[in-house]
Amino acid sequence: MSRSLNKVSLIGNIGQDPEVRSTSGGGRVANFSLATSRQWSGQGGDKQEKTEWHRIVAWNNTKGGGTGLADVVEKYCKKGDKLYVEGRIEYRSWQDKDGQTRYTTEIIANEIIMLSGKGGSGGDAGTAPVRASATAAPAKKEGKDGKESFDDFPEALDGEDDDLPF
């Protein structure tokens, strides 16, 4: 069996406030641009910088309930915010009103981590990153005593956050 991988990981800043629309089928989609930059020294020692702009598309995928990526982007993301975006790259073409074929490259997000913190436009506000994923949130389960269980917070069991010395 042959395998392939279409995966993009970006860390950058939002260029404009996200645009969120509803589709005719009742879905929601958020579109925004993300700027990534790289710096290097030229042959003469002068500092060089190049910024790339990426079109990000975040869909709601709320089968079974939960909040989708488009809703999270609409509520919490704004121009200047620093984000980690993970997704896949897609190329599309279409005919414009003049009959010309147009092309675009988009990143279809499946995970977004907000790195700016609350109210932070681009900087680190000293708070933990907020994470949103395109996978639907599971229905809420309660433990035997009627309280929340670890099933509600799977990230609480991640091994990276424990205090064990080994």
Side-chain angles (χ1 to χ4, degrees):
M1 171 183 1
S2 91
R3 293 183 177 212
S4 62
L5 177 66
N6 180 351
K7 185 174 184 177
V8 177
S9 298
L10 300 169
I11 295 176
N13 294 84
I14 298 176
Q16 296 177 4
D17 286 340
E19 176 187 317
V20 181
R21 296 179 283 115
S22 294
T23 66
S24 58
R28 292 178 47 97
V29 60
N31 294 287
F32 60 94
S33 58
L34 192 74
T36 58
S37 298
R38 63 184 183 100
Q39 298 176 349
W40 69 96
S41 295
Q43 289 181 348
D46 52 329
K47 190 175 182 178
Q48 305 283 323
E49 181 174 5
K50 181 168 183 176
T51 301
E52 300 286 347
W53 289 93
H54 311 275
R55 293 178 176 272
I56 310 296
V57 179
W59 290 90
N60 274 1
N61 182 10
T62 56
K63 295 176 185 171
T67 302
L69 279 179
D71 292 337
V72 170
V73 167
E74 179 179 43
K75 189 170 183 178
Y76 298 108
C77 297
K78 62 185 179 312
K79 179 180 178 177
D81 285 349
K82 185 174 284 296
L83 298 182
Y84 167 83
V85 176
E86 187 173 290
R88 69 182 187 277
I89 193 166
E90 281 193 8
Y91 303 97
R92 289 190 304 116
S93 64
W94 72 96
Q95 299 289 326
D96 69 8
K97 60 184 176 190
D98 299 325
Q100 297 290 322
T101 302
R102 301 288 181 181
Y103 301 92
T104 190
T105 302
E106 298 171 325
I107 306 302
I108 309 302
N110 62 24
E111 184 168 7
I112 295 175
I113 301 175
M114 291 165 263
L115 302 174
S116 296
K118 287 186 177 179
S121 285
D124 182 59
T127 59
V130 178
R131 181 181 203 140
S133 178
T135 56
K140 190 166 188 149
K141 298 177 187 173
E142 292 185 351
K144 295 176 189 169
D145 57 358
K147 296 183 180 176
E148 294 175 328
S149 72
F150 279 114
D151 292 339
D152 297 326
F153 306 98
E155 65 275 2
L157 299 176
D158 286 348
E160 296 178 62
D161 295 332
D162 61 52
D163 294 330
L164 298 176
F166 52 92

